[in-house]
């Protein structure tokens, strides 16, 4: 299953040029999946029927320690919520708002304190005083890929704090063909894999 972060492509970002920096920062780049054996059912962050793709804003006071949101910043262009800690600001916020406004795992951060620059947002969610965060609810999709054939993906994740691996590259293969055959359920770069063959686990698993 995939989590689709819906990141707009930026003209100044070239992931092929930052692979060395990603590796130095503790990222893991996997090899493209090769032929042989049954293809997994992949998953993407996908479709919450109530709030798929909706933008909503949460108000906070104090530092990141106070709001209790653990963030996955392993993808510089798609910061997501890894966990909402109990008995802190975000958990208290969730008790006071409608379900469509509650902060959930894998929600994408689109703006912090009125700023949507990725570098500044990473700093803000880690160390700055937080006044407001805008989130986007991801869409969830289940994709079935059938062997034989190469899946055709390159994944990145960080061993220490990634909640799910993300697609750094999609090349010719089974997943690209899925996108051609299912234009309403496409999977893209920056999307996350949240389960494979119905099983969840660590990024490495």
């Amino acid at each position: 299953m995939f989590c689709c972060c819906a990141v707009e492509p930026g003209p100044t970002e070239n992931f092929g040029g930052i692979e060395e920096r990603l590796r130095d920062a503790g990222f893991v780049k996997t090899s493209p999946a090769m032929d042989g054996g049954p293809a997994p059912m992949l998953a993407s962050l996908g479709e919450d029927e109530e709030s798929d793709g909706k933008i909503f804003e949460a108000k906070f006071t104090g530092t990141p320690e106070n709001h209790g949101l653990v963030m996955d910043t392993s993808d510089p262009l798609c910061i997501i919520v890894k966990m909402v800690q109990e008995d802190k600001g975000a958990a208290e916020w969730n008790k006071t708002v409608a379900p469509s406004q509650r902060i959930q795992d894998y929600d994408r951060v689109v703006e912090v304190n009125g700023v949507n620059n990725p570098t500044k947002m990473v700093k803000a969610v880690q160390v700055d005083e937080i006044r407001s965060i805008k989130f986007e609810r991801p869409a969830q999709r289940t994709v079935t890929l059938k062997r034989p054939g190469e899946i055709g993906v390159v994944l990145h994740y960080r061993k220490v704090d990634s909640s799910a691996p993300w697609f750094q590259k999609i090349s010719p293969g089974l997943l690209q063909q899925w996108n051609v055959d299912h234009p309403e359920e496409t999977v893209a770069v920056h999307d996350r894999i949240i389960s494979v063959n119905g099983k969840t686990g660590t990024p490495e698993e």
Side-chain angles (χ1 to χ4, degrees):
M1 180 172 292
F2 297 98
C3 187
C4 300
C5 291
V7 177
E8 293 296 328
T12 60
E13 292 292 340
N14 181 347
F15 277 89
I18 66 169
E19 289 181 1
E20 293 297 327
R21 279 181 285 158
L22 289 170
R23 187 166 59 249
D24 292 344
F27 290 91
V28 174
K29 175 182 175 183
T30 70
S31 300
M34 301 305 290
D35 290 20
M41 181 181 75
L42 302 174
S44 74
L45 273 213
E47 216 146 340
D48 178 309
E49 291 182 358
E50 267 190 48
S51 53
D52 171 24
K54 297 288 180 63
I55 303 291
F56 63 97
E57 184 175 17
K59 302 284 187 178
F60 298 98
T61 58
T63 62
E65 290 78 14
N66 294 328
H67 60 63
L69 284 173
V70 180
M71 300 291 191
D72 178 347
T73 60
S74 61
D75 180 349
L77 295 186
C78 189
I79 305 166
I80 64 171
V81 176
K82 181 179 181 181
M83 180 177 65
V84 179
Q85 295 177 328
E86 295 182 3
D87 302 322
K88 292 198 174 184
E92 293 304 312
W93 166 271
N94 283 349
K95 295 175 183 178
T96 66
V97 296
S100 62
Q101 305 292 307
R102 292 172 188 164
I103 305 165
Q104 301 176 6
D105 294 354
Y106 304 111
D107 283 349
R108 177 190 168 213
V109 177
V110 296
E111 187 177 288
V112 181
N113 296 340
V115 175
N116 59 13
N117 175 278
T119 302
K120 292 181 179 179
M121 287 197 300
V122 170
K123 177 177 180 293
V125 299
Q126 291 176 337
V127 299
D128 288 350
E129 181 174 344
I130 304 296
R131 299 184 302 277
S132 69
I133 304 179
K134 286 185 179 180
F135 298 93
E136 180 179 20
R137 185 81 77 231
Q140 185 168 300
R141 299 185 178 94
T142 298
V143 175
T144 302
L145 306 177
K146 297 181 179 179
R147 303 283 193 184
E150 183 176 325
I151 295 176
V153 296
V154 176
L155 303 174
H156 273 295
Y157 63 90
R158 195 155 49 197
K159 288 184 176 181
V160 177
D161 57 1
S162 288
S163 56
W166 52 276
F167 291 108
Q168 186 262 339
K169 181 180 180 181
I170 297 175
S171 54
L174 297 175
L175 186 57
Q176 190 177 91
Q177 187 60 49
W178 167 275
N179 286 344
V180 172
D181 295 339
H182 302 83
E184 302 302 317
E185 298 183 306
T186 58
V187 177
V189 171
H190 303 291
D191 287 353
R192 305 275 181 145
I193 298 178
I194 59 173
S195 71
V196 178
N197 294 338
K199 297 181 180 180
T200 60
T202 66
E204 288 179 313
E205 290 171 334

